Every structure is written in structure tokens, then in C-alpha cells.
């Protein structure tokens, strides 16, 4: 394995479809709990763009927090995520049902040093599926996981860049854009027209189950 490459050798997939799922604001609430965390630290988040840096201010005087301090706050939040984050509506029972038909893997965009905290939190909620924590692009990772398998594959995320990355690396993948309806997510970059928007986990499950039944999806990876 090359230096810096994500180790996925411990992931064991069965001869079943694969569902790869993001975590923050897809499985676990992020933006709401993070706002509450900021309040506990004397800060406030102003939804002026789809960014954390540049949008956090002091509650005392409204002065914008410097980027270095924002990064520190994000790290502290992930360190204490077990005290703050909760699951989205119906995600636990939905993934439990889908796991009867497919392998499920969590691919979370987070520094690997916080993986143990996230693992404990997911386990406590009964979400026992394998977890990979990395800040690397998700497309090559899903490609490496799925490789040349002829089984259906699904990828779920709230970020356009992650969905586009997987689209560009994995042929015939059902791409589902699932994100909360929040003031900050209204500023989120738009996804491409060939990516399906799910309104909630009930809707996402319907899309996934239809894809698993059909076993095919017509979108192909563009030529390099």
C-alpha cells in the first residue's frame, strides 16, 4: 500500500449489493448539534454560505472567529461528538432493513483520529456496519471497494463534490443526494442532473430497493 493510501484490506464484502453511505448530515445530525456546541462555547453560526470557516462569530460582540480558531472548534466537536450527535429520522430502522439485502459501509469525511469516537457512537445506536474515516476523495475509494463486481452499488452523500467524485470513478452506481433542510444547506452547491435527490430516508430506501431489484443502472463513467 502506497504512503497515504487508505487501507481497506480489512473490509470484507459478501456476494451482495453494496451501499456506501456518508455519515455527517446523512446518518448523524451534524449542523444542528454543531450549532448547539458552538453556543456552549460562546459562539454562533451564521448561515451566510455553505462553509464553516468565515461564518462563526462571537456571541458577545458578533466578531468573526479566525479560521484557526474555527478549525480548533471543529476538532473539539468531533472529539466530543458522542455527547452531541444524534441519528436522522428513520435511518436506524431503514439501514437495518436494507442490510438484509445488501452490505452497508459508512464512508465518513473526517480525520481518522476521530474514528474511534464515531465508531462508539454508531455502535451505541445499533449502526454496527463497517466504518472508514478519511479526508481523501471518495470516488477512488468506492471504486477500490467495488472493483469489478457485477453487483449493484449505491452511494449516498449530502455533498455534491463527493457524489461527483463517485460518479466519475464508479460505473452503474446509483447516486443519491440526501441532505437536511437547513438554512446552511440552502447554499450547498447543486449536484449534476444524473444524481437522484432523496427527500428523506423513506424516499432513499424506495430508490435503493428499486435499484437492487432491477440490478442495473444505465449511467456510465465518462471517458477520461
Amino acid at each position: 500500500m502506497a504512503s497515504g493510501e487508505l487501507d481497506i484490506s480489512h473490509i470484507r464484502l459478501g456476494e451482495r449489493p453494496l451501499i456506501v453511505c456518508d455519515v455527517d448530515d446523512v446518518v448523524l445530525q451534524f449542523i444542528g448539534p454543531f450549532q448547539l456546541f458552538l453556543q456552549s462555547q460562546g459562539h454562533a453560526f451564521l448561515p451566510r454560505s455553505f462553509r464553516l470557516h468565515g461564518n462563526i462569530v462571537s456571541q458577545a460582540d458578533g466578531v468573526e472567529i479566525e479560521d484557526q480558531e474555527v478549525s480548533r472548534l471543529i476538532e473539539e466537536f468531533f472529539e466530543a461528538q458522542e455527547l452531541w450527535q444524534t441519528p436522522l429520522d428513520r435511518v436506524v430502522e431503514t439501514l437495518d432493513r436494507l442490510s438484509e439485502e445488501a452490505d452497508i459501509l459508512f464512508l465518513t469525511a473526517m480525520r481518522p483520529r476521530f474514528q474511534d469516537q464515531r465508531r462508539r457512537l454508531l455502535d451505541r445506536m445499533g449502526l454496527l456496519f463497517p466504518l472508514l474515516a478519511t479526508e481523501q476523495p471518495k470516488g477512488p475509494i468506492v471504486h477500490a471497494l467495488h472493483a469489478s463486481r457485477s453487483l449493484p452499488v449505491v452511494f449516498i452523500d449530502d455533498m455534491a463534490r463527493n457524489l461527483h467524485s463517485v460518479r466519475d470513478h464508479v460505473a452503474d452506481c446509483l447516486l443519491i443526494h440526501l441532505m437536511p433542510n437547513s438554512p446552511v444547506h440552502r447554499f450547498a452547491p447543486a449536484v449534476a442532473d444524473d444524481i437522484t435527490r432523496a427527500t428523506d430516508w423513506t424516499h432513499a430506501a424506495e430508490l435503493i430497493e428499486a435499484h437492487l431489484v432491477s440490478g442495473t443502472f444505465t449511467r456510465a463513467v465518462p471517458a477520461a
Side-chain angles (χ1 to χ4, degrees):
M1 185 176 66
S3 176
E5 184 179 339
L6 181 66
D7 182 11
I8 62 170
S9 61
H10 60 290
I11 302 298
R12 296 287 182 266
L13 302 178
E15 290 299 314
R16 308 199 303 162
L18 173 63
I19 300 171
V20 181
C21 187
D22 182 35
V23 177
D24 286 308
D25 274 338
V26 175
V27 171
L28 298 177
Q29 303 275 0
F30 171 77
I31 194 63
F34 186 61
Q35 287 177 297
L36 293 174
F37 168 77
L38 290 175
Q39 291 173 20
S40 76
Q41 302 295 308
H43 304 307
F45 177 72
L46 303 181
R48 300 179 293 198
S49 66
F50 195 59
R51 298 180 69 248
L52 298 179
H53 293 80
N55 288 328
I56 297 175
V57 301
S58 168
Q59 286 181 322
D61 53 19
V63 173
E64 185 177 303
I65 304 300
E66 294 183 0
D67 283 356
Q68 184 176 356
E69 176 67 5
V70 173
S71 296
R72 184 189 67 80
L73 288 165
I74 295 170
E75 297 252 319
E76 286 191 5
F77 175 77
F78 281 132
E79 188 74 45
Q81 62 187 278
E82 296 166 85
L83 302 175
W84 297 96
Q85 292 189 268
T86 56
L88 270 75
D89 289 344
R90 302 195 65 79
V91 65
V92 175
E93 55 265 46
T94 300
L95 289 180
D96 183 61
R97 186 176 77 250
L98 290 171
S99 70
E100 297 175 2
E101 307 174 57
D103 288 336
I104 295 174
L105 181 138
F106 293 132
L107 180 56
T108 186
M110 185 177 66
R111 290 191 178 184
R113 73 184 188 90
F114 299 116
Q115 177 160 325
D116 288 347
Q117 293 93 321
R118 176 137 295 175
R119 180 73 274 166
R120 288 194 299 266
L121 179 55
L122 292 168
D123 287 352
R124 195 175 76 212
M125 296 170 179
L127 295 165
L128 307 177
F129 311 109
L131 170 69
L132 293 173
T134 179
E135 294 182 308
Q136 297 179 24
K138 293 188 176 183
I141 296 171
V142 178
H143 178 266
L145 287 164
H146 190 59
S148 59
R149 291 164 21 117
S150 60
L151 294 159
V153 59
V154 178
F155 178 72
I156 311 165
D157 207 291
D158 66 321
M159 297 281 195
R161 69 172 181 269
N162 295 328
L163 290 155
H164 295 165
S165 177
V166 173
R167 176 196 60 189
D168 294 342
H169 287 85
V170 184
D172 299 331
C173 180
L174 173 61
L175 303 163
I176 297 179
H177 185 215
L178 178 62
M179 68 177 187
N181 181 17
S182 76
V184 66
H185 281 87
R186 295 172 191 168
F187 292 98
V191 296
D193 292 340
D194 58 352
I195 295 172
T196 304
R197 172 82 170 102
T199 54
D200 55 25
W201 268 103
T202 298
H203 185 202
E206 293 171 356
L207 296 168
I208 293 168
E209 287 165 343
H211 179 65
L212 298 187
V213 168
S214 70
T216 59
F217 196 63
T218 56
R219 187 191 52 76
V221 173

